[in-house]
Amino acid sequence: MEDYKKEFIKFMVDSQVLKFGEFTLKSGRKSPFFMNAGGYVTGMQLRRLGEYYAKAIHDCYGLDFDILFGPAYKGIPLSVATTMAISELYGKDVKYCSNRKEVKDHGDTGILLGSKLKDGDRVVIIEDVTTSGKSIEETFPILKAQADVEIVGLMVSLNRMEKGTGEKSALEEIKEKYGFDAKAIVTMAEVVEFLYNQPYNGTIYINEESKSAIDAYYEQYGAK
């Protein structure tokens, strides 16, 4: 596992963004872990988060793209922080773009924030996490309605590795439906591998009991 992935797992735990216990998801599933990117609230956290996204995007997609698109609302700070990190780490100046939930009819009009889109732009979409692919169903037509853009891929922070609407993971379903790749900074399998029975800051976050709960969860909801 790459060093930045290990550091990102520790970063999620330190930021209390990744938690273990019993949580009820929007889908109604009872999950033994929960990831909430809304927990990144400080300037230092956002700077580091942008760096992890930048490294993962660089590794998975390279830097041959023009726009980093972050769907409203959580994708807005993600896209801004990551474009800044790409500039600092790699000297590549990419533009950020996000959508508004409501179309603005005065001043800076339209549905987009940041850079406008034009035909031929290569776009990477950035999100926190996806379990059903619903956000891409909303985002994809917005992008295509603005210009004839090429979507290089999607990057999320954590691949939960569970069923989407069918038997495959949400990221696999996105790839099949829309024809572009979908990756994550880390997968839940990598999280378990790194934290299982390994103390971090004096705490074992995944012990035998929580590992059993995670295994049982994937028996029921794990993607094929």
Side-chain angles (χ1 to χ4, degrees), residues 5-46:
K5 292 189 174 189
K6 298 175 183 178
E7 292 300 320
F8 182 62
I9 294 169
K10 292 188 284 187
F11 174 62
M12 286 193 290
V13 172
D14 289 340
S15 302
Q16 297 185 17
V17 164
L18 179 62
K19 299 180 180 181
F20 301 92
E22 185 174 308
F23 308 91
T24 302
L25 306 179
K26 286 182 180 179
S27 62
R29 297 174 183 174
K30 302 287 187 181
S31 174
F33 59 91
F34 184 65
M35 203 285 286
N36 175 26
Y40 299 120
V41 293
T42 72
M44 179 63 72
Q45 287 173 330
L46 288 172

Side-chain angles (χ1 to χ4, degrees), residues 49-57 78 82 126-128 155 157:
L49 181 60
E51 290 175 354
Y52 294 125
Y53 267 107
K55 290 175 181 179
I57 289 170
L78 293 180
T82 306
I126 183 172
E127 288 200 290
D128 56 347
M155 180 62 67
S157 60

Side-chain angles (χ1 to χ4, degrees), residues 1-10 185-195:
M1 190 188 313
E2 294 87 340
D3 286 342
Y4 76 84
K5 292 189 174 189
K6 298 175 183 178
E7 292 300 320
F8 182 62
I9 294 169
K10 292 188 284 187
I185 301 175
V186 293
T187 67
M188 198 59 205
E190 290 170 326
V191 171
V192 173
E193 175 191 341
F194 183 71
L195 292 178

Side-chain angles (χ1 to χ4, degrees), residues 55-142:
K55 290 175 181 179
I57 289 170
H58 174 267
D59 279 5
C60 294
Y61 302 126
L63 296 174
D64 184 20
F65 64 96
D66 309 292
I67 306 283
L68 191 60
F69 184 87
Y73 288 103
K74 288 183 180 178
I76 297 174
L78 293 180
S79 61
V80 173
T82 306
T83 54
M84 294 172 69
I86 289 172
S87 175
E88 292 171 0
L89 291 174
Y90 304 110
K92 169 79 173 183
D93 209 17
V94 300
K95 300 173 183 176
Y96 95 92
C97 180
S98 297
N99 64 297
R100 294 183 171 96
K101 289 290 189 179
E102 304 83 18
V103 177
K104 189 177 180 184
D105 60 6
H106 62 281
D108 184 18
T109 60
I111 198 170
L112 299 181
L113 293 168
S115 177
K116 303 300 182 186
L117 298 173
K118 65 181 187 298
D119 291 350
D121 277 343
R122 290 169 54 81
V123 178
V124 171
I125 303 172
I126 183 172
E127 288 200 290
D128 56 347
V129 67
T130 183
T131 54
S132 67
K134 183 179 179 182
S135 59
I136 296 299
E137 287 182 14
E138 299 171 352
T139 300
F140 187 78
I142 289 172

